[in-house]
């Protein structure tokens, strides 16, 4: 099969198209012909070596396609089923094996590509807004990188929960997209002090939660946005990792909370996975959650997809089509 393989970590050039053996499903696994796979920021962290993975490896951990074969003890899916999954490595390929316990049936009314686009970022937006900090009606919330893949979905879910949503973005074009997704206020954090703006918008009170995926460049400002006992949800580091932090600041800034959550822990059981994926795919199917699939690249162009994502050029979702 054709697949992208990484033999050493580094820049986008380490994503090499190779001919590799098609995997065989073992017990509890299915072999899936991939129709589309998602490109996510975590793929960049693994490619760079910021997150460790044994070498060589096939990158990617989100896809959707059609079941071609099932191993023993995998009767919950059958050949021909349309399925989607995330959090299982090796999806930048024509075929992949995945544990059937991680597969979600793609409902009627949505395309396989939409399912591939919705799983990882959609369930992330879901757990952030419903569980990590469960948004209450009339909460004012800040979403960083509001025109990004997670950002556009998180804005929509926060609005659905009744929040007043502020979003940061780097350009006027991205601001328009964030507003179209429902953001009440957009802040160009490349031009203005976003913490001061949040204080101004809340008459000095601050807000109960900041969803921060940008990390290094936004962390201090995010803390400065919070009202006493507010929560900083640091869920990524698109600008780089946050340096070591003195916990006493949580006290002096108003008994604040910080959490560093990850999707794996919020989809740890089959029940939770099915519930979150069901909500996300159901909302896509009924049209109440809009996906923005900005660009679909050929598998061979995976390096270009990474370059575009890491250079802040993109909005919404990027897919690879094997
Ligand atoms: P995005 O589409 O959001 O792309 C990243 C965005 O971050 C950019 O478009 C850019 O938006 C912003 N950004 C700010 N500074 C930089 C910088 N120096 N370099 C690059 N981008 C920058 O990506 P995803 O939706 O795929 O992921 C968003 C974040 O969420 C990532 O950090 C990812 O790791 C994290 N994540 C975490 C999960 C978890 O469970 N913890 C799960 C899924 C994603 P702008 O131009 O507007 O500033």
């Amino acid at each position: 099969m054709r697949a992208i393989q990484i033999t050493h970590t580094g820049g986008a050039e380490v994503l090499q198209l190779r001919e590799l053996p098609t995997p065989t499903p073992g017990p509890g696994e299915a072999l899936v012909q991939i129709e589309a796979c998602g490109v996510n920021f975590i793929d960049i962290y693994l490619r760079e070596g910021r997150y460790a993975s044994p070498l060589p490896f096939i990158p990617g951990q989100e896809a959707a396609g059609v079941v071609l074969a099932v191993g023993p003890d995998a009767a919950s899916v059958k050949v021909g089923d349309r399925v989607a999954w995330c959090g299982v490595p090796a999806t930048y390929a024509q075929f992949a094996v995945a544990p059937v316990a991680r597969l979600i049936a793609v409902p009627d009314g949505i395309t396989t590509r939409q399912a591939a686009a919705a799983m990882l970022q959609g369930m992330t937006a879901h757990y952030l807004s419903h569980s990590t900090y469960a948004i209450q009606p009339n909460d004012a919330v800040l979403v960083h990188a509001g025109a990004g893949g997670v950002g556009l979905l998180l804005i929509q879910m926060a609005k659905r929960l009744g929040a007043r949503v502020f979003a940061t973005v780097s350009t006027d074009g991205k601001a328009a997209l964030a507003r179209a997704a429902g953001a009440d206020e957009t802040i160009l954090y490349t031009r203005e002090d976003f913490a001061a703006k949040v204080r101004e918008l809340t008459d000095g009170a601050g807000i109960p939660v900041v969803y921060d995926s940008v990390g290094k460049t936004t962390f201090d400002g995010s803390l400065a946005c919070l009202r006493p006992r507010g929560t900083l949800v640091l869920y990524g580091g698109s600008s780089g990792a946050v340096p070591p932090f003195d916990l006493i600041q949580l006290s002096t800034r108003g008994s604040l909370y910080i959490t560093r959550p990850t999707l794996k822990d919020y989809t740890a059981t089959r029940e939770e996975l099915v519930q979150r994926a069901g909500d996300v795919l159901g909302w896509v199917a009924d049209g109440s959650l809009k996906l923005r699939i900005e660009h679909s690249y050929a598998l061979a162009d995976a390096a270009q997809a990474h370059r575009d994502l890491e250079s802040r050029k993109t909005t919404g979702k990027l897919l690879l089509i094997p």
Side-chain angles (χ1 to χ4, degrees), residues 19 32 46 50 60 122 127 134 193 207 253 281 293 308:
E19 194 60 41
V32 183
L46 284 154
R50 212 195 304 178
Y127 86 74
D193 176 345
I207 56 177
R253 288 171 180 253
L281 298 182
I293 302 178
D308 290 348

Side-chain angles (χ1 to χ4, degrees), residues 41-53:
F41 230 90
I42 193 170
D43 306 340
I44 294 174
Y45 304 149
L46 284 154
R47 188 205 74 210
E48 289 173 334
R50 212 195 304 178
Y51 291 176
S53 175

Side-chain angles (χ1 to χ4, degrees), residues 8 49 55 80 136 151-152 173 288 307 311:
H8 59 282
L55 295 163
Q136 303 301 309
L152 286 172
S288 61
R307 286 190 192 102
S311 64

Side-chain angles (χ1 to χ4, degrees), residues 45 51 127 132 212 232-237 258-262 265:
Y45 304 149
Y51 291 176
Y127 86 74
T132 309
D212 188 344
L232 171 52
V233 181
L234 178 70
Y235 70 99
I258 298 184
T259 179
R260 179 63 175 86
T262 181
D265 295 317

